[in-house]
């Protein structure tokens, strides 16, 4: 039977093991599970601020009413609520369930600051459904280990305190406490895989094998043990042949195929990137071994990451959209923020050689490399293609199209804060300042 004392014990257990969270964020749909979670959290004394986040999927004609219900209920519970609407891209190729989940977690990750805890209301029945879905999809040990009670998420942690409890236990608690919640009619739509298992398959399994959720829990527990052993091995391998930034490719190639795959999977999880399918992983590692043996600087693509072999090192890089090549204007003493962790750029007066003030004051067009750009840097005898300069200065291949370029009348004036074109340089000129510049080379 679920009660708030058990919930308090859950938090005390993890508070003893982790940094004290700045705040607790509850993913609040307004349904039974998340309502029980939000309500019960307000009944224990954690002395930690609680914030609820409701995500309106805009997929039902009652979505606005559900959003209002969540706002009103959070107010009654004395909890701050943030509500966001999302648009579901039905042609993404992922399927509606997957797309909705990805969009939810994308929104939630925006609000997770360092040491924050995100709580979701996944329970024992959800665990059973996840296990069956993993089996049907041919998942490995990680998939069979099911929903984890705690894991890293964005800049904080994701915790699921209800995994020990069944849906029936949460319903019983909600009735005792006279709670109100939303009944989402889409849960009856068996065109969704999870609903089909929940409404059609699992009840039949229960008739044949009573308490089947306990059997499933045992499977996930054993798989979790195996997954943790694999993770321990991956940590040892990473310590021996690399670090969080890169892996030594000559040492990587000496590992068995099993440990190579295990290490790549571990790093993808560590970086919060999607695991490829078994076939994608097998084919990708095979291609990576071929590239390493030929000592080529190339990369392979996974669903959520690019794996580069560069100068005898392996780098696992999150896939990012290409920088927007729409021209922006940079004027003196103004700052332009760059996307995707690239920092910001400003143009400021200098006592040294810099950009001709007459040019700078007219404004520089900011854009990004498309290929073929050339520059004659100040102090150099010849014109150079940017590709050549980047190679000579060992700029990481994945960063070369993200370095901002500055133009005047379609000519390159400056490449980031690396090189100024001799034609546009002058003493006591303006210099490009790059704030929070990411690591661009060794």
């Amino acid at each position: 039977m679920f009660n708030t004392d058990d919930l308090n014990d859950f938090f005390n257990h993890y508070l003893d093991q982790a940094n004290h969270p700045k705040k607790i964020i509850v993913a609040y749909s307004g349904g039974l599970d998340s309502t029980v979670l939000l309500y019960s959290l307000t009944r224990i004394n954690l002395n930690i601020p609680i914030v609820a986040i409701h995500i309106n999927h805009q997929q039902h004609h009652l979505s606005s009413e559900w959003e209002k219900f969540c706002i009103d209920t959070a107010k009654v519970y004395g909890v701050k609520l943030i509500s966001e609407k999302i648009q579901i891209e039905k042609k993404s190729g992922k399927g509606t369930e997957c797309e909705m989940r990805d969009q939810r977690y994308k929104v939630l990750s925006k609000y997770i600051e360092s040491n924050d805890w995100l709580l979701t209301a996944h329970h024992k029945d959800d665990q059973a459904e996840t296990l069956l879905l993993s089996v049907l999809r041919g998942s490995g040990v990680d998939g069979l280990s099911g929903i984890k009670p705690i894991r890293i998420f964005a800049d904080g942690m994701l915790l699921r305190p209800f995994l020990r409890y069944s849906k029936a236990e949460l319903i019983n608690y909600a009735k005792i406490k006279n709670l109100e919640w939303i009944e989402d009619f889409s849960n009856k739509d068996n065109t969704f895989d999870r609903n089909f298992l929940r409404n059609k398959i699992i009840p039949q399994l229960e008739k044949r094998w009573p308490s089947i959720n306990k059997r499933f829990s045992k499977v996930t527990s054993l798989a979790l043990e195996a997954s943790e052993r694999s993770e321990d091995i991956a940590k040892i391998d990473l310590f021996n042949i690399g670090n969080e930034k890169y892996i030594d490719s000559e040492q990587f190639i000496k590992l068995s195929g099993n440990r190579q795959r295990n290490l790549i999977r571990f790093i993808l999880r560590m970086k919060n990137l999607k695991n490829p399918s078994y076939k994608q992983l097998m084919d990708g590692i095979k291609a990576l071994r071929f590239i390493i043996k030929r000592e080529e600087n190339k990369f392979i693509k996974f669903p959520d990451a690019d794996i580069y072999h560069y100068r005898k090192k392996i780098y696992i890089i999150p896939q990012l959209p290409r920088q927007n090549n729409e021209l922006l204007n940079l004027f003196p003493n103004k700052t332009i923020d760059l996307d995707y962790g690239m920092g910001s750029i400003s143009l400021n007066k200098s006592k040294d050689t810099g950009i001709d003030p007459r040019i700078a004051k007219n404004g520089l067009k900011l854009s990004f490399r498309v290929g073929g750009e050339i520059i004659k840097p100040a102090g150099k005898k010849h014109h150079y293609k940017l590709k050549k300069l980047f190679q000579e200065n060992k700029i990481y291949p994945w960063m070369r199209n993200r370095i901002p370029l500055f133009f005047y009348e379609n000519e390159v004036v400056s490449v980031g804060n690396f090189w100024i074109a001799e034609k546009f340089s002058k003493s006591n000129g303006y210099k490009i300042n790059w704030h929070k510049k990411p690591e661009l080379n060794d």
Side-chain angles (χ1 to χ4, degrees), residues 133-183:
L133 284 170
S134 296
V135 170
L136 293 168
R137 290 167 181 165
S139 300
V141 171
D142 288 336
L144 296 181
S145 62
I147 305 170
K148 311 296 189 297
I150 183 169
R151 70 172 177 86
I152 295 170
F153 179 76
D155 291 328
M157 303 297 294
L158 170 57
L159 292 88
R160 281 97 168 211
F162 284 175
L163 289 179
R164 291 174 51 199
Y165 305 101
S166 66
K167 180 85 167 185
E169 289 175 292
L170 299 183
I171 291 172
N172 187 57
Y173 178 88
K175 288 180 176 178
I176 290 172
K177 300 298 182 181
N178 294 315
L179 302 184
E180 295 182 0
W181 62 88
I182 294 166
E183 289 289 356

Side-chain angles (χ1 to χ4, degrees), residues 87-99:
Q87 295 287 341
I88 303 302
E89 178 53 63
K90 293 185 177 181
K91 296 181 180 179
S92 67
K94 299 178 182 178
T96 303
E97 284 179 283
C98 184
E99 177 69 19

Side-chain angles (χ1 to χ4, degrees), residues 50-115:
I50 300 170
V51 177
I53 297 181
H54 175 76
I55 297 169
N56 183 345
H57 298 87
Q58 304 185 90
Q59 294 293 295
H60 196 280
H61 70 280
L62 294 176
S63 292
S64 295
E65 291 184 27
W66 293 343
E67 183 177 9
K68 184 178 184 305
F69 171 86
C70 291
I71 293 169
D72 293 342
T73 303
K75 190 178 294 184
V76 170
Y77 293 170
V79 173
K80 176 185 175 181
L81 182 132
I82 298 168
S83 183
E84 280 211 21
K85 293 180 173 65
I86 60 175
Q87 295 287 341
I88 303 302
E89 178 53 63
K90 293 185 177 181
K91 296 181 180 179
S92 67
K94 299 178 182 178
T96 303
E97 284 179 283
C98 184
E99 177 69 19
M100 289 170 69
R101 183 184 65 247
D102 287 353
Q103 290 280 5
R104 282 197 300 273
Y105 280 111
K106 183 178 179 181
V107 171
L108 291 168
S109 66
K110 291 195 310 183
Y111 295 97
I112 307 297
E113 298 175 327
S114 180
N115 293 334

Side-chain angles (χ1 to χ4, degrees), residues 402-433:
R402 300 185 179 280
I403 293 175
L405 310 179
F406 300 93
F407 292 81
Y408 181 74
E409 294 184 348
N410 297 320
E411 291 188 74
V412 178
V413 175
S414 180
V415 180
N417 61 349
F418 290 111
W419 306 285
I420 296 173
E422 186 171 70
K423 177 179 178 179
F424 299 109
S425 67
K426 195 154 189 168
S427 59
N428 297 319
Y430 281 80
K431 283 209 168 180
I432 300 291
N433 288 310

Side-chain angles (χ1 to χ4, degrees), residues 5 8 61 75 87 91 266 269 276 284 300 391:
D5 289 338
N8 201 37
H61 70 280
K75 190 178 294 184
Q87 295 287 341
K91 296 181 180 179
F266 171 71
R269 285 198 304 275
I300 58 173
Q391 288 174 341

Side-chain angles (χ1 to χ4, degrees), residues 327-381:
L327 294 175
L328 300 170
N329 291 310
L330 179 65
F331 291 96
N333 304 314
K334 299 293 183 181
T335 298
I336 292 179
D337 291 323
L338 305 174
D339 292 330
Y340 313 119
M342 293 299 290
S344 60
I345 291 286
S346 64
L347 185 60
N348 305 101
K349 197 77 172 68
S350 171
K351 294 180 180 179
D352 302 320
T353 299
I355 299 168
D356 188 330
R358 292 172 300 174
I359 301 299
K361 288 177 181 178
N362 285 330
L364 303 175
K365 299 290 186 182
L366 185 158
S367 188
F368 297 92
R369 178 171 171 248
V370 294
E373 296 88 353
I374 60 172
I375 185 173
K376 183 178 183 295
K380 297 282 187 179
K381 293 182 179 180

